[in-house]
Amino acid sequence: MSKILIVEDEQKLAELLKDYLAQSGFSTTVLDNGLEVVANVRENRPDLILLDLMLPGRDGMDICKEIRTFSNLPIIMVTAKVEEIDRLLGLELGADDYICKPFSPREVVARVKAVLRRSGGATTIQTKGLILDETRYQASLHGTDLGLTAVEFKLLDFLAANPGRIYSRDQLMDKIYSDDRIVSDRTIDSHIKKLRKKLAAVAPDEELVGSVYGVGYKFI
Ligand code: CA
């Protein structure tokens, strides 16, 4: 089920969108403040964002630009003025589509589906010479394929989406294994060890995945 993040401060409109998208089989999250968006995207990895332009806290343009520094996930910008669309296009923010208010919720659902179809439903993270292609579970560093296993890919993908944040082994296990199987701490350590070895083989002087003694791991 695709996860749609609705960023909209007009509560009625947000609820209308939520209802229509839910009826079409999407799972939705609503945020009404611009300041919460980037953290939410990093943590919850939506498949698409409906991003209102005028928001309390931080405007949609700024948010779009920041998201584009680490992810190519589909973004549909929503604006209250038709004239704004030309200006936004000129700024090359990297949004995938633009919708003008007032709109019919049906039209929004159709656009969401079209953009998701175009994007193939998966995203790519790019940071520090690293490209993580979530469609193929493929990771490359400075153009060299890292040859990661699925578990190594998931670990790196998760850590890289949340740079600087320290995750305990338990938290990483929860993210990597969706079932309730019992995995020891050592399992994560051993996957991380192999992952770091593969990263070091390409870039020996860069430590992308760091360990924090007694706590866990983080992406630099
Ligand atoms: Ca607004």
Side-chain angles (χ1 to χ4, degrees):
M1 191 193 287
S2 295
K3 293 188 285 184
I4 312 294
L5 174 61
I6 302 165
V7 186
E8 174 58 69
D9 58 314
E10 286 170 56
Q11 204 191 340
K12 278 189 181 159
L13 193 54
E15 269 166 26
L16 189 67
L17 286 172
K18 191 177 152 81
D19 287 348
Y20 269 81
L21 287 164
Q23 278 167 27
S24 303
F26 294 106
S27 97
T28 55
T29 304
V30 176
L31 291 179
D32 62 4
N33 190 305
L35 291 172
E36 299 162 14
V37 182
V38 171
N40 185 286
V41 168
R42 288 191 185 278
E43 185 70 25
N44 298 317
R45 321 291 292 281
D47 296 297
L48 183 145
I49 312 178
L50 277 171
L51 182 59
D52 187 28
L53 186 65
M54 298 290 283
L55 291 162
R58 191 176 184 193
D59 79 65
M61 268 194 283
D62 236 35
I63 296 167
C64 185
K65 271 193 264 178
E66 184 173 348
I67 291 171
R68 279 293 172 262
T69 64
F70 65 90
S71 172
N72 73 338
L73 89 124
I75 299 175
I76 300 180
M77 299 276 293
V78 181
T79 160
K81 294 184 204 145
V82 187
E83 314 88 77
E84 274 290 310
I85 293 183
D86 275 344
R87 195 168 77 85
L88 292 173
L89 283 170
L91 291 173
E92 294 179 354
L93 298 172
D96 296 83
D97 203 356
Y98 298 88
I99 295 177
C100 194
K101 293 177 185 175
F103 48 69
S104 80
R106 245 179 255 282
E107 182 200 346
V108 175
V109 171
R111 298 273 200 108
V112 164
K113 286 181 180 168
V115 169
L116 282 174
R117 254 198 316 274
R118 270 201 322 256
S119 76
T123 59
T124 310
I125 293 181
Q126 295 193 36
T127 180
K128 314 236 172 195
L130 192 66
I131 298 178
L132 295 159
D133 179 344
E134 295 173 348
T135 346
R136 297 181 187 78
Y137 271 40
Q138 231 170 43
S140 66
L141 181 61
H142 305 306
T144 304
D145 184 67
L146 291 169
L148 302 185
T149 63
V151 170
E152 289 159 4
F153 180 89
K154 282 201 245 177
L155 279 169
L156 182 60
D157 192 53
F158 180 67
L159 289 167
N162 303 278
R165 199 163 148 185
I166 302 163
Y167 288 94
S168 69
R169 291 170 180 80
D170 279 345
Q171 286 172 319
L172 291 174
M173 278 191 273
D174 283 350
K175 288 287 172 187
I176 304 310
Y177 301 104
S178 44
D179 49 1
D180 287 332
R181 82 172 92 170
I182 307 294
V183 197
S184 83
D185 288 4
R186 299 240 177 248
T187 316
I188 290 291
D189 287 344
S190 129
H191 287 306
I192 293 271
K193 200 174 160 190
K194 286 181 201 149
L195 170 62
R196 293 170 85 178
K197 209 170 157 186
K198 289 178 182 178
L199 290 165
V202 178
D205 300 329
E206 294 170 32
E207 198 195 39
L208 291 177
V209 175
S211 57
V212 182
Y213 187 73
V215 187
Y217 296 100
K218 67 171 184 172
F219 188 84
I220 305 300

